[in-house]
Amino acid sequence: AKKSCLTEVPARIMEVANEAEMLELSIIENLQRSDLNPVELALGYKNLQIKWGLTQEKVAQRVGKDRATVANTMRLLELPDPVLLSLRNGEISMGHAKAILAVPGTARRSALWKRVVSESLSVRQTEQTARSIASVTRPKPVKRQPTETSPELYDFTDRIRRSLGTKVRIVKKGKKGSIQIEFFSIAELERLVDMLSRM
């Protein structure tokens, strides 16, 4: 302001009830910076969540982001430390990191990351490799005894499946039963939870 010879600058004065609230506002303001890398964002969201006992939904509201965005960013912290460091340093992108997260287990994630770096894999190539690794490591489904499905149950199953856009199974035992909804990734689970919570 001084270099621009300004004698007045716009300012907003915020009243806070206590030091804790001031600290929370300070963290939130820092999270709005455009130069933060994904790891710094994830740690900031986690810090906000732990310090004030907030849910991911509340964190999202505080920072003005979508809950799924906050959840996906915080999930980056599940990556092994070398992968997080690589992401923080810009060696791999957020897209690479998300693809690596699709692989189960620390050892497999580390191995895929090493391959991404050594072979300079694109995000698309990383996603394809992650899918092939995940399909090999996915446990074989347990064979279930065939059950007779009534036309009424079939209709209910089909209606839920079309509404949610995923595989659904209704299991009826006497007068009671359960509905099983399949998901194939954390992102899809978040989508289903969001849809169900709005119903």
Side-chain angles (χ1 to χ4, degrees):
K2 284 180 180 177
K3 284 180 181 178
S4 301
C5 299
L6 294 177
T7 55
E8 293 181 1
V9 291
R12 186 175 64 168
I13 298 170
M14 297 181 68
E15 290 187 15
V16 290
N18 50 48
E19 195 173 327
E21 190 179 337
M22 186 171 68
L23 183 58
E24 181 185 358
L25 286 171
S26 174
I27 292 172
I28 292 168
E29 189 176 330
N30 282 336
L31 289 171
Q32 307 300 330
R33 285 171 35 211
S34 59
D35 60 342
L36 289 179
N37 65 56
V39 179
E40 289 170 333
L41 271 177
L43 290 169
Y45 295 155
K46 191 74 177 174
N47 189 17
L48 201 55
Q49 185 182 44
I50 291 169
K51 271 188 182 296
W52 283 274
L54 303 175
T55 62
Q56 287 184 353
E57 184 74 46
K58 292 289 184 189
V59 171
Q61 287 172 5
R62 294 280 209 285
V63 298
K65 301 281 184 186
D66 184 71
R67 190 195 64 80
T69 301
V70 170
N72 284 331
T73 304
M74 287 177 69
R75 192 165 170 257
L76 293 172
L77 299 176
E78 296 173 22
L79 289 166
D81 288 343
V83 185
L84 282 175
L85 184 62
S86 182
L87 177 60
R88 186 193 284 265
N89 294 338
E91 193 175 24
I92 62 170
S93 70
M94 179 81 157
H96 287 109
K98 284 182 179 178
I100 292 168
L101 272 171
V103 175
T106 301
R108 290 188 186 96
R109 287 173 179 172
S110 295
L112 177 55
W113 164 70
K114 286 175 184 173
R115 188 172 167 192
V116 168
V117 174
S118 65
E119 298 178 24
S120 300
L121 296 183
S122 68
V123 172
R124 186 178 292 274
Q125 289 170 323
T126 307
E127 288 169 345
Q128 289 169 346
T129 308
R131 275 195 294 271
S132 66
I133 294 170
S135 66
V136 170
T137 56
R138 191 175 292 136
K140 291 180 181 177
V142 178
K143 288 186 179 178
R144 296 189 183 97
Q145 293 294 327
T147 54
E148 195 175 313
T149 305
S150 69
E152 187 181 33
L153 278 184
Y154 180 83
D155 180 54
F156 289 147
T157 305
D158 190 54
R159 282 162 59 188
I160 298 170
R161 180 188 58 76
R162 280 188 278 111
S163 175
L164 296 178
T166 192
K167 206 170 179 180
V168 174
R169 185 168 179 260
I170 297 177
V171 179
K172 187 172 180 289
K173 294 177 183 176
K175 292 183 178 180
K176 294 194 263 181
S178 63
I179 300 171
Q180 297 174 356
I181 303 167
E182 288 195 15
F183 61 91
F184 304 96
S185 68
I186 294 297
E188 187 178 14
L189 174 60
E190 287 167 356
R191 177 184 70 81
L192 290 168
V193 170
D194 284 341
M195 285 182 70
L196 291 168
S197 64
R198 289 197 296 267
M199 287 181 174

